[in-house]
Amino acid sequence: MASDTELTDAELERIQRASIQYQTEIDTAHVRELLEETSPDLLDGLSGVTAYNRLPPEEQLAREIQFFRACEADPNTRPDDPAFLFTKMTVEQGISTITVYDEYHRFEPCVDKVFKLDDDQIADLHSYITAFKDSDYYTTLRQDTQPFLEHFPKWNPANLTADNVLFGKKLYESVVNICERGFPNLLAMKRVLDGERPENEPLQRKRATSVRRELTDTDNMNAVYFDFIVKKFDPRLRNGIAHGDLLNETTQQEVRIPTEDWSYSYEEFNKVITANIANALFLTGTFMALVDWEFQMRQFDESGRDTLEL
């Protein structure tokens, strides 16, 4: 066990990975200083996971290190242990935020189906998610997640101004990357339902359009758990932004894509952005935490399992 300020090789490696995820240099000396005053309670003094995600990287890391040291000191895990409680809070707060945007009905079929997976299916899906978290694809997702988590709370769907459209355009750039990296994880669940054992590399390398097509395939009964999520992704808007074809018509209060002969009123544009903020929230943490939670709870007798408040 490391002393209060000494860092193990594994902890130094965690800091190195975080530096890549945050795309900034981490002040390791400052992390050591923070360890002296940091509680093992990951969310000590915070309102929840969202507040934690908005902390400076060094403070997040100091909290993580103390948190996991406390977990390692007590190997007899229980449903009320900090690691489980953090996973639970990640799911519940993610769903709560999605509900505030009045979007949860689109995710409910997928969430309910996770609870109904049999033991082999949840084990296969959890194995896939674990492999994903150990890959560069996850690091890429985390790099896109950090600016998204910083900016999305400022989004106001009722704000029908040109400035808000510019802000929404910037948000959608992050959302697109999150969806294109996160939708393959939903496809992994569909493949599990199809009776397969999905592997990380093939799904992450699959073309984004092919992933979306399979998740919305009306000829496959298992697509019903994902199509309401994926259909809200707007590839036309994605291409308009990527190709510099988006025109903000401030006098008409509409957003046009001249090359597509397509336009959105400001209200329609805001609805697209809001729906995909909900998609990004689900894909950045909520879905993966949900799979982790359900897999962890299956390790206990039913009488000892905790439940989520959704």
Side-chain angles (χ1 to χ4, degrees), residues 125-178:
L125 183 55
H126 182 260
S127 177
Y128 171 91
I129 294 296
T130 300
F132 173 72
K133 288 181 177 179
D134 287 337
S135 72
D136 287 339
Y137 301 113
Y138 178 71
T139 302
T140 302
L141 176 65
R142 292 304 304 171
Q143 286 188 344
D144 291 313
T145 297
Q146 293 309 133
F148 169 75
L149 292 176
E150 179 182 350
H151 296 301
F152 94 84
K154 304 170 188 174
W155 172 251
N156 179 2
N159 184 350
L160 303 180
T161 64
D163 285 344
N164 199 51
V165 166
L166 291 175
F167 181 50
K169 174 186 172 185
K170 192 69 177 176
L171 270 176
Y172 202 68
E173 291 174 356
S174 295
V175 164
V176 165
N177 294 334
I178 289 168

Short mmCIF file of all heavy atoms in Angstrom, two decimals, residues 125-178:
data_model
loop_
_atom_site.label_atom_id
_atom_site.label_comp_id
_atom_site.label_asym_id
_atom_site.label_seq_id
_atom_site.Cartn_x
_atom_site.Cartn_y
_atom_site.Cartn_z
N LEU A 125 -21.73 -9.21 -22.58
CA LEU A 125 -21.76 -7.78 -22.82
C LEU A 125 -20.77 -7.05 -21.90
O LEU A 125 -20.07 -6.13 -22.33
CB LEU A 125 -23.18 -7.24 -22.60
CG LEU A 125 -23.40 -5.75 -22.90
CD1 LEU A 125 -22.94 -5.39 -24.31
CD2 LEU A 125 -24.86 -5.37 -22.69
N HIS A 126 -20.70 -7.49 -20.66
CA HIS A 126 -19.76 -6.88 -19.72
C HIS A 126 -18.32 -7.12 -20.18
O HIS A 126 -17.46 -6.23 -20.06
CB HIS A 126 -19.97 -7.46 -18.31
CG HIS A 126 -19.07 -6.86 -17.28
ND1 HIS A 126 -17.91 -7.49 -16.85
CD2 HIS A 126 -19.13 -5.69 -16.60
CE1 HIS A 126 -17.31 -6.74 -15.96
NE2 HIS A 126 -18.03 -5.65 -15.79
N SER A 127 -18.05 -8.30 -20.70
CA SER A 127 -16.71 -8.61 -21.22
C SER A 127 -16.35 -7.68 -22.37
O SER A 127 -15.21 -7.18 -22.46
CB SER A 127 -16.65 -10.07 -21.68
OG SER A 127 -15.40 -10.38 -22.24
N TYR A 128 -17.32 -7.41 -23.24
CA TYR A 128 -17.09 -6.49 -24.36
C TYR A 128 -16.79 -5.08 -23.83
O TYR A 128 -15.84 -4.43 -24.28
CB TYR A 128 -18.30 -6.46 -25.29
CG TYR A 128 -18.20 -5.37 -26.33
CD1 TYR A 128 -17.62 -5.62 -27.57
CD2 TYR A 128 -18.65 -4.08 -26.05
CE1 TYR A 128 -17.49 -4.61 -28.51
CE2 TYR A 128 -18.52 -3.06 -26.98
CZ TYR A 128 -17.94 -3.33 -28.20
OH TYR A 128 -17.80 -2.32 -29.12
N ILE A 129 -17.62 -4.60 -22.89
CA ILE A 129 -17.44 -3.26 -22.35
C ILE A 129 -16.08 -3.14 -21.66
O ILE A 129 -15.39 -2.11 -21.78
CB ILE A 129 -18.58 -2.89 -21.38
CG1 ILE A 129 -19.92 -2.79 -22.13
CG2 ILE A 129 -18.28 -1.59 -20.64
CD1 ILE A 129 -19.99 -1.68 -23.16
N THR A 130 -15.67 -4.17 -20.94
CA THR A 130 -14.38 -4.16 -20.26
C THR A 130 -13.24 -4.04 -21.27
O THR A 130 -12.29 -3.27 -21.08
CB THR A 130 -14.21 -5.44 -19.42
OG1 THR A 130 -15.25 -5.50 -18.44
CG2 THR A 130 -12.85 -5.44 -18.71
N ALA A 131 -13.34 -4.81 -22.38
CA ALA A 131 -12.32 -4.74 -23.43
C ALA A 131 -12.31 -3.35 -24.07
O ALA A 131 -11.24 -2.80 -24.38
CB ALA A 131 -12.58 -5.81 -24.48
N PHE A 132 -13.49 -2.78 -24.26
CA PHE A 132 -13.58 -1.43 -24.83
C PHE A 132 -12.87 -0.42 -23.94
O PHE A 132 -12.12 0.44 -24.42
CB PHE A 132 -15.04 -1.04 -25.02
CG PHE A 132 -15.24 0.39 -25.46
CD1 PHE A 132 -14.91 0.79 -26.74
CD2 PHE A 132 -15.77 1.33 -24.58
CE1 PHE A 132 -15.09 2.11 -27.15
CE2 PHE A 132 -15.94 2.65 -24.97
CZ PHE A 132 -15.60 3.04 -26.25
N LYS A 133 -13.07 -0.52 -22.63
CA LYS A 133 -12.45 0.43 -21.70
C LYS A 133 -10.93 0.30 -21.66
O LYS A 133 -10.24 1.23 -21.24
CB LYS A 133 -13.03 0.23 -20.29
CG LYS A 133 -14.45 0.72 -20.14
CD LYS A 133 -14.94 0.52 -18.72
CE LYS A 133 -16.34 1.05 -18.52
NZ LYS A 133 -16.82 0.85 -17.14
N ASP A 134 -10.42 -0.84 -22.08
CA ASP A 134 -8.96 -1.05 -22.12
C ASP A 134 -8.36 -0.68 -23.47
O ASP A 134 -7.16 -0.89 -23.68
CB ASP A 134 -8.64 -2.52 -21.82
CG ASP A 134 -8.84 -2.88 -20.36
OD1 ASP A 134 -8.80 -1.96 -19.51
OD2 ASP A 134 -9.05 -4.07 -20.06
N SER A 135 -9.17 -0.11 -24.36
CA SER A 135 -8.70 0.15 -25.73
C SER A 135 -8.47 1.64 -25.98
O SER A 135 -8.92 2.51 -25.22
CB SER A 135 -9.74 -0.37 -26.73
OG SER A 135 -10.89 0.47 -26.73
N ASP A 136 -7.77 1.92 -27.08
CA ASP A 136 -7.58 3.31 -27.50
C ASP A 136 -8.91 3.95 -27.92
O ASP A 136 -9.05 5.18 -27.89
CB ASP A 136 -6.60 3.39 -28.68
CG ASP A 136 -5.16 3.13 -28.25
OD1 ASP A 136 -4.86 3.28 -27.06
OD2 ASP A 136 -4.35 2.77 -29.12
N TYR A 137 -9.88 3.13 -28.32
CA TYR A 137 -11.18 3.66 -28.71
C TYR A 137 -11.85 4.35 -27.51
O TYR A 137 -12.50 5.39 -27.67
CB TYR A 137 -12.07 2.55 -29.25
CG TYR A 137 -11.50 1.84 -30.44
CD1 TYR A 137 -11.10 0.50 -30.38
CD2 TYR A 137 -11.33 2.51 -31.65
CE1 TYR A 137 -10.56 -0.14 -31.48
CE2 TYR A 137 -10.80 1.87 -32.76
CZ TYR A 137 -10.41 0.54 -32.67
OH TYR A 137 -9.87 -0.09 -33.76
N TYR A 138 -11.68 3.76 -26.34
CA TYR A 138 -12.25 4.38 -25.13
C TYR A 138 -11.54 5.69 -24.83
O TYR A 138 -12.17 6.68 -24.44
CB TYR A 138 -12.13 3.42 -23.95
CG TYR A 138 -12.64 3.99 -22.64
CD1 TYR A 138 -14.00 4.18 -22.43
CD2 TYR A 138 -11.76 4.34 -21.62
CE1 TYR A 138 -14.48 4.70 -21.24
CE2 TYR A 138 -12.23 4.86 -20.43
CZ TYR A 138 -13.59 5.04 -20.24
OH TYR A 138 -14.05 5.56 -19.06
N THR A 139 -10.21 5.70 -24.99
CA THR A 139 -9.46 6.94 -24.77
C THR A 139 -9.96 8.04 -25.70
O THR A 139 -10.13 9.19 -25.30
CB THR A 139 -7.96 6.70 -24.99
OG1 THR A 139 -7.51 5.67 -24.11
CG2 THR A 139 -7.16 7.97 -24.72
N THR A 140 -10.22 7.68 -26.95
CA THR A 140 -10.77 8.63 -27.91
C THR A 140 -12.12 9.16 -27.44
O THR A 140 -12.40 10.37 -27.49
CB THR A 140 -10.93 7.98 -29.29
OG1 THR A 140 -9.66 7.51 -29.73
CG2 THR A 140 -11.46 8.98 -30.31
N LEU A 141 -12.96 8.25 -26.97
CA LEU A 141 -14.27 8.66 -26.44
C LEU A 141 -14.11 9.62 -25.27
O LEU A 141 -14.82 10.62 -25.17
CB LEU A 141 -15.07 7.42 -26.02
CG LEU A 141 -16.44 7.69 -25.37
CD1 LEU A 141 -17.39 8.34 -26.37
CD2 LEU A 141 -17.04 6.40 -24.83
N ARG A 142 -13.18 9.31 -24.37
CA ARG A 142 -12.98 10.17 -23.20
C ARG A 142 -12.48 11.55 -23.62
O ARG A 142 -12.84 12.56 -23.00
CB ARG A 142 -11.97 9.53 -22.24
CG ARG A 142 -12.47 8.26 -21.57
CD ARG A 142 -13.76 8.46 -20.82
NE ARG A 142 -13.67 9.52 -19.83
CZ ARG A 142 -14.71 10.01 -19.16
NH1 ARG A 142 -15.92 9.55 -19.40
NH2 ARG A 142 -14.54 10.96 -18.26
N GLN A 143 -11.65 11.62 -24.65
CA GLN A 143 -11.18 12.92 -25.11
C GLN A 143 -12.33 13.78 -25.61
O GLN A 143 -12.35 15.00 -25.38
CB GLN A 143 -10.13 12.75 -26.23
CG GLN A 143 -8.79 12.26 -25.74
CD GLN A 143 -7.73 12.29 -26.82
OE1 GLN A 143 -8.03 12.38 -28.00
NE2 GLN A 143 -6.48 12.19 -26.42
N ASP A 144 -13.29 13.17 -26.26
CA ASP A 144 -14.47 13.92 -26.72
C ASP A 144 -15.45 14.20 -25.59
O ASP A 144 -16.21 15.17 -25.64
CB ASP A 144 -15.18 13.15 -27.84
CG ASP A 144 -14.38 13.10 -29.12
OD1 ASP A 144 -13.87 14.15 -29.53
OD2 ASP A 144 -14.24 12.01 -29.71
N THR A 145 -15.41 13.34 -24.57
CA THR A 145 -16.34 13.49 -23.45
C THR A 145 -16.03 14.70 -22.59
O THR A 145 -16.94 15.41 -22.14
CB THR A 145 -16.33 12.22 -22.58
OG1 THR A 145 -16.79 11.11 -23.36
CG2 THR A 145 -17.24 12.37 -21.37
N GLN A 146 -14.75 14.96 -22.35
CA GLN A 146 -14.38 16.03 -21.43
C GLN A 146 -14.93 17.40 -21.84
O GLN A 146 -15.58 18.06 -21.03
CB GLN A 146 -12.86 16.09 -21.27
CG GLN A 146 -12.26 14.88 -20.57
CD GLN A 146 -12.94 14.54 -19.25
OE1 GLN A 146 -13.26 13.40 -18.98
NE2 GLN A 146 -13.17 15.54 -18.42
N PRO A 147 -14.72 17.86 -23.08
CA PRO A 147 -15.31 19.16 -23.45
C PRO A 147 -16.84 19.13 -23.46
O PRO A 147 -17.48 20.13 -23.15
CB PRO A 147 -14.74 19.44 -24.84
CG PRO A 147 -14.27 18.12 -25.36
CD PRO A 147 -13.86 17.33 -24.16
N PHE A 148 -17.40 17.99 -23.82
CA PHE A 148 -18.86 17.87 -23.83
C PHE A 148 -19.42 18.06 -22.42
O PHE A 148 -20.37 18.82 -22.22
CB PHE A 148 -19.27 16.51 -24.38
CG PHE A 148 -20.74 16.19 -24.18
CD1 PHE A 148 -21.70 16.81 -24.95
CD2 PHE A 148 -21.13 15.29 -23.20
CE1 PHE A 148 -23.06 16.54 -24.75
CE2 PHE A 148 -22.47 15.00 -23.00
CZ PHE A 148 -23.43 15.63 -23.77
N LEU A 149 -18.83 17.38 -21.44
CA LEU A 149 -19.33 17.48 -20.06
C LEU A 149 -19.16 18.89 -19.51
O LEU A 149 -19.95 19.34 -18.68
CB LEU A 149 -18.59 16.48 -19.16
CG LEU A 149 -18.89 15.00 -19.41
CD1 LEU A 149 -18.02 14.13 -18.51
CD2 LEU A 149 -20.36 14.69 -19.18
N GLU A 150 -18.14 19.57 -19.99
CA GLU A 150 -17.91 20.94 -19.53
C GLU A 150 -18.96 21.90 -20.08
O GLU A 150 -19.40 22.82 -19.37
CB GLU A 150 -16.51 21.40 -19.96
CG GLU A 150 -16.19 22.83 -19.55
CD GLU A 150 -14.82 23.28 -20.03
OE1 GLU A 150 -14.04 22.42 -20.51
OE2 GLU A 150 -14.52 24.49 -19.92
N HIS A 151 -19.39 21.68 -21.32
CA HIS A 151 -20.23 22.67 -22.00
C HIS A 151 -21.73 22.36 -22.01
O HIS A 151 -22.55 23.29 -22.02
CB HIS A 151 -19.76 22.85 -23.44
CG HIS A 151 -18.38 23.43 -23.56
ND1 HIS A 151 -18.03 24.65 -23.03
CD2 HIS A 151 -17.24 22.93 -24.13
CE1 HIS A 151 -16.76 24.90 -23.28
NE2 HIS A 151 -16.26 23.87 -23.94
N PHE A 152 -22.12 21.08 -21.99
CA PHE A 152 -23.54 20.78 -22.21
C PHE A 152 -24.46 21.37 -21.14
O PHE A 152 -25.61 21.71 -21.46
CB PHE A 152 -23.77 19.26 -22.37
CG PHE A 152 -24.14 18.54 -21.10
CD1 PHE A 152 -25.45 18.50 -20.65
CD2 PHE A 152 -23.16 17.90 -20.34
CE1 PHE A 152 -25.80 17.85 -19.48
CE2 PHE A 152 -23.50 17.25 -19.18
CZ PHE A 152 -24.81 17.22 -18.75
N PRO A 153 -24.03 21.50 -19.84
CA PRO A 153 -24.97 22.07 -18.87
C PRO A 153 -25.40 23.49 -19.20
O PRO A 153 -26.41 23.97 -18.68
CB PRO A 153 -24.17 22.03 -17.55
CG PRO A 153 -23.18 20.93 -17.74
CD PRO A 153 -22.79 21.04 -19.18
N LYS A 154 -24.65 24.18 -20.06
CA LYS A 154 -25.00 25.56 -20.44
C LYS A 154 -26.05 25.60 -21.55
O LYS A 154 -26.54 26.68 -21.89
CB LYS A 154 -23.75 26.31 -20.89
CG LYS A 154 -22.61 26.31 -19.87
CD LYS A 154 -21.33 26.84 -20.49
CE LYS A 154 -20.14 26.66 -19.56
NZ LYS A 154 -18.87 27.04 -20.19
N TRP A 155 -26.38 24.44 -22.12
CA TRP A 155 -27.34 24.40 -23.23
C TRP A 155 -28.75 24.71 -22.74
O TRP A 155 -29.23 24.15 -21.76
CB TRP A 155 -27.31 23.03 -23.91
CG TRP A 155 -28.39 22.84 -24.93
CD1 TRP A 155 -29.48 22.02 -24.83
CD2 TRP A 155 -28.48 23.47 -26.21
NE1 TRP A 155 -30.24 22.10 -25.98
CE2 TRP A 155 -29.66 22.99 -26.84
CE3 TRP A 155 -27.68 24.40 -26.88
CZ2 TRP A 155 -30.04 23.41 -28.10
CZ3 TRP A 155 -28.08 24.83 -28.15
CH2 TRP A 155 -29.24 24.33 -28.74
N ASN A 156 -29.42 25.59 -23.46
CA ASN A 156 -30.80 25.95 -23.14
C ASN A 156 -31.67 25.71 -24.37
O ASN A 156 -31.65 26.51 -25.32
CB ASN A 156 -30.88 27.42 -22.71
CG ASN A 156 -32.30 27.86 -22.38
OD1 ASN A 156 -33.25 27.06 -22.43
ND2 ASN A 156 -32.48 29.12 -22.05
N PRO A 157 -32.47 24.64 -24.39
CA PRO A 157 -33.28 24.32 -25.58
C PRO A 157 -34.30 25.39 -25.93
O PRO A 157 -34.75 25.47 -27.08
CB PRO A 157 -33.99 23.01 -25.18
CG PRO A 157 -33.21 22.46 -24.04
CD PRO A 157 -32.63 23.64 -23.32
N ALA A 158 -34.67 26.21 -24.95
CA ALA A 158 -35.69 27.23 -25.19
C ALA A 158 -35.11 28.52 -25.76
O ALA A 158 -35.86 29.43 -26.13
CB ALA A 158 -36.44 27.54 -23.89
N ASN A 159 -33.80 28.60 -25.85
CA ASN A 159 -33.14 29.82 -26.32
C ASN A 159 -33.08 29.82 -27.85
O ASN A 159 -32.25 29.14 -28.45
CB ASN A 159 -31.73 29.89 -25.72
CG ASN A 159 -31.02 31.19 -26.09
OD1 ASN A 159 -31.47 31.96 -26.92
ND2 ASN A 159 -29.87 31.41 -25.46
N LEU A 160 -33.95 30.58 -28.49
CA LEU A 160 -34.03 30.61 -29.95
C LEU A 160 -33.30 31.82 -30.50
O LEU A 160 -33.88 32.72 -31.12
CB LEU A 160 -35.50 30.63 -30.39
CG LEU A 160 -36.36 29.46 -29.90
CD1 LEU A 160 -37.80 29.61 -30.41
CD2 LEU A 160 -35.78 28.13 -30.35
N THR A 161 -31.98 31.86 -30.25
CA THR A 161 -31.17 32.98 -30.72
C THR A 161 -30.04 32.46 -31.60
O THR A 161 -29.68 31.28 -31.57
CB THR A 161 -30.54 33.74 -29.54
OG1 THR A 161 -29.62 32.87 -28.84
CG2 THR A 161 -31.61 34.22 -28.57
N ALA A 162 -29.46 33.37 -32.37
CA ALA A 162 -28.35 33.00 -33.25
C ALA A 162 -27.15 32.52 -32.45
O ALA A 162 -26.45 31.58 -32.85
CB ALA A 162 -27.97 34.20 -34.12
N ASP A 163 -26.89 33.16 -31.31
CA ASP A 163 -25.76 32.74 -30.47
C ASP A 163 -25.95 31.33 -29.96
O ASP A 163 -24.98 30.56 -29.88
CB ASP A 163 -25.60 33.71 -29.29
CG ASP A 163 -24.99 35.04 -29.69
OD1 ASP A 163 -24.42 35.11 -30.80
OD2 ASP A 163 -25.10 36.01 -28.92
N ASN A 164 -27.17 30.97 -29.61
CA ASN A 164 -27.42 29.62 -29.11
C ASN A 164 -27.25 28.58 -30.23
O ASN A 164 -26.82 27.45 -29.98
CB ASN A 164 -28.83 29.52 -28.52
CG ASN A 164 -28.97 28.33 -27.59
OD1 ASN A 164 -28.17 28.13 -26.68
ND2 ASN A 164 -30.01 27.53 -27.80
N VAL A 165 -27.59 28.97 -31.46
CA VAL A 165 -27.36 28.08 -32.59
C VAL A 165 -25.87 27.80 -32.76
O VAL A 165 -25.45 26.66 -32.99
CB VAL A 165 -27.96 28.67 -33.89
CG1 VAL A 165 -27.43 27.94 -35.12
CG2 VAL A 165 -29.47 28.60 -33.85
N LEU A 166 -25.05 28.84 -32.63
CA LEU A 166 -23.60 28.67 -32.73
C LEU A 166 -23.10 27.73 -31.63
O LEU A 166 -22.24 26.87 -31.87
CB LEU A 166 -22.90 30.02 -32.63
CG LEU A 166 -23.09 30.97 -33.82
CD1 LEU A 166 -22.44 32.32 -33.54
CD2 LEU A 166 -22.50 30.36 -35.09
N PHE A 167 -23.64 27.90 -30.43
CA PHE A 167 -23.27 27.04 -29.32
C PHE A 167 -23.71 25.61 -29.59
O PHE A 167 -22.98 24.65 -29.35
CB PHE A 167 -23.90 27.57 -28.02
CG PHE A 167 -23.55 26.77 -26.80
CD1 PHE A 167 -22.23 26.45 -26.51
CD2 PHE A 167 -24.54 26.35 -25.92
CE1 PHE A 167 -21.91 25.72 -25.37
CE2 PHE A 167 -24.23 25.62 -24.80
CZ PHE A 167 -22.91 25.31 -24.51
N GLY A 168 -24.94 25.46 -30.11
CA GLY A 168 -25.45 24.12 -30.43
C GLY A 168 -24.62 23.44 -31.50
O GLY A 168 -24.38 22.23 -31.43
N LYS A 169 -24.17 24.21 -32.49
CA LYS A 169 -23.31 23.65 -33.53
C LYS A 169 -22.03 23.10 -32.92
O LYS A 169 -21.57 22.00 -33.27
CB LYS A 169 -22.99 24.73 -34.56
CG LYS A 169 -22.00 24.30 -35.63
CD LYS A 169 -21.62 25.48 -36.53
CE LYS A 169 -20.49 25.10 -37.47
NZ LYS A 169 -20.02 26.26 -38.28
N LYS A 170 -21.43 23.86 -32.00
CA LYS A 170 -20.19 23.41 -31.34
C LYS A 170 -20.45 22.16 -30.52
O LYS A 170 -19.64 21.21 -30.53
CB LYS A 170 -19.65 24.53 -30.45
CG LYS A 170 -18.24 24.29 -29.95
CD LYS A 170 -17.24 24.38 -31.08
CE LYS A 170 -15.82 24.22 -30.58
NZ LYS A 170 -14.84 24.19 -31.69
N LEU A 171 -21.56 22.12 -29.81
CA LEU A 171 -21.90 20.94 -29.03
C LEU A 171 -22.08 19.72 -29.92
O LEU A 171 -21.63 18.62 -29.58
CB LEU A 171 -23.21 21.18 -28.25
CG LEU A 171 -23.11 21.77 -26.85
CD1 LEU A 171 -24.52 22.01 -26.30
CD2 LEU A 171 -22.33 20.86 -25.92
N TYR A 172 -22.73 19.91 -31.07
CA TYR A 172 -23.00 18.78 -31.94
C TYR A 172 -21.73 18.16 -32.50
O TYR A 172 -21.68 16.96 -32.77
CB TYR A 172 -23.94 19.19 -33.09
CG TYR A 172 -24.67 18.02 -33.71
CD1 TYR A 172 -25.65 17.34 -32.99
CD2 TYR A 172 -24.40 17.59 -35.00
CE1 TYR A 172 -26.33 16.26 -33.54
CE2 TYR A 172 -25.07 16.52 -35.56
CZ TYR A 172 -26.03 15.85 -34.83
OH TYR A 172 -26.71 14.78 -35.38
N GLU A 173 -20.69 18.98 -32.67
CA GLU A 173 -19.41 18.44 -33.13
C GLU A 173 -18.88 17.41 -32.15
O GLU A 173 -18.37 16.35 -32.55
CB GLU A 173 -18.40 19.59 -33.31
CG GLU A 173 -18.73 20.51 -34.48
CD GLU A 173 -17.80 21.71 -34.55
OE1 GLU A 173 -16.95 21.86 -33.65
OE2 GLU A 173 -17.93 22.51 -35.50
N SER A 174 -18.99 17.70 -30.84
CA SER A 174 -18.57 16.72 -29.82
C SER A 174 -19.51 15.53 -29.80
O SER A 174 -19.08 14.38 -29.68
CB SER A 174 -18.54 17.38 -28.44
OG SER A 174 -17.55 18.37 -28.36
N VAL A 175 -20.80 15.81 -29.93
CA VAL A 175 -21.81 14.75 -29.86
C VAL A 175 -21.62 13.74 -31.00
O VAL A 175 -21.74 12.53 -30.79
CB VAL A 175 -23.22 15.37 -29.93
CG1 VAL A 175 -24.27 14.32 -30.27
CG2 VAL A 175 -23.56 16.05 -28.60
N VAL A 176 -21.31 14.23 -32.20
CA VAL A 176 -21.11 13.34 -33.34
C VAL A 176 -20.00 12.33 -33.05
O VAL A 176 -20.16 11.12 -33.28
CB VAL A 176 -20.77 14.15 -34.61
CG1 VAL A 176 -20.19 13.25 -35.70
CG2 VAL A 176 -22.01 14.86 -35.13
N ASN A 177 -18.88 12.82 -32.53
CA ASN A 177 -17.77 11.92 -32.23
C ASN A 177 -18.13 10.91 -31.15
O ASN A 177 -17.75 9.74 -31.23
CB ASN A 177 -16.55 12.74 -31.79
CG ASN A 177 -16.00 13.61 -32.90
OD1 ASN A 177 -16.17 13.30 -34.07
ND2 ASN A 177 -15.35 14.70 -32.54
N ILE A 178 -18.89 11.36 -30.15
CA ILE A 178 -19.32 10.46 -29.07
C ILE A 178 -20.25 9.38 -29.62
O ILE A 178 -20.12 8.20 -29.29
CB ILE A 178 -20.00 11.27 -27.96
CG1 ILE A 178 -18.96 12.11 -27.20
CG2 ILE A 178 -20.75 10.35 -26.99
CD1 ILE A 178 -19.56 13.15 -26.27
#
